[in-house]
Amino acid sequence: RAVLLRSARAAKLGARAGRIFKLVMCYSLLIRGPEGDGKPRFEAKVLAQRLTTSIATRVAMLTIFLVAFVPLLDLPIFPRQDRSLELWARNLEEVFAAENTTKLSA
């Protein structure tokens, strides 16, 4: 579960970085304006789109990998028998016995 939470945080951080990157690109476009010839700007725009798509795809695949496969690494150390119900019953019994001894002694 902790791995899933870390993966979600990483995905949120990646999304936030993407939004900041878009904001910076829009800001630089507003500051510079549409000056210069169109061809180099168009090539740069295509390159930026390809780069953004490539990075987004890799981040998505990494997130899927972390969510799906990293918990499988914990399987060898996972307990084979779940004794939580027995432990809960034992703790309940001890608390009940402790309360009864204090009530009887008082």
Side-chain angles (χ1 to χ4, degrees), residues 19-21 23 29 40 45 51 67 70 78-80 91 95:
R19 286 192 296 264
I20 290 172
F21 179 72
L23 183 66
L29 181 65
K45 187 180 258 187
L51 184 62
V67 168
V70 170
F78 193 74
R80 298 202 186 271
N91 284 342
V95 168

Side-chain angles (χ1 to χ4, degrees), residues 3-21 59-60 62-64 66-67:
V3 174
L4 181 65
L5 292 175
R6 278 187 239 138
S7 302
R9 276 192 214 136
K12 285 181 185 178
L13 185 64
R16 187 176 294 153
R19 286 192 296 264
I20 290 172
F21 179 72
V59 167
L62 180 64
T63 304
I64 290 170
L66 288 174
V67 168

Side-chain angles (χ1 to χ4, degrees), residues 96-106:
F96 183 73
E99 285 180 6
N100 281 341
T101 56
T102 57
K103 285 181 183 177
L104 291 175
S105 65

Side-chain angles (χ1 to χ4, degrees), residues 23-96:
L23 183 66
V24 168
M25 284 183 57
C26 290
Y27 181 72
S28 66
L29 181 65
L30 289 173
I31 295 298
R32 281 191 245 149
E35 62 215 26
D37 58 345
K39 190 166 183 166
R41 182 174 296 268
F42 178 72
E43 289 174 5
K45 187 180 258 187
V46 170
L47 182 62
Q49 287 176 348
R50 286 182 185 170
L51 184 62
T52 303
T53 303
S54 173
I55 290 174
T57 304
R58 289 180 185 183
V59 167
M61 293 303 290
L62 180 64
T63 304
I64 290 170
F65 175 77
L66 288 174
V67 168
F69 295 112
V70 170
L72 295 177
L73 298 175
D74 290 338
L75 281 179
I77 60 172
F78 193 74
R80 298 202 186 271
Q81 294 179 345
D82 186 18
R83 304 221 185 256
S84 60
L85 188 60
E86 294 172 14
L87 182 63
W88 177 77
R90 188 180 309 147
N91 284 342
L92 186 64
E93 207 172 282
E94 289 173 3
V95 168
F96 183 73

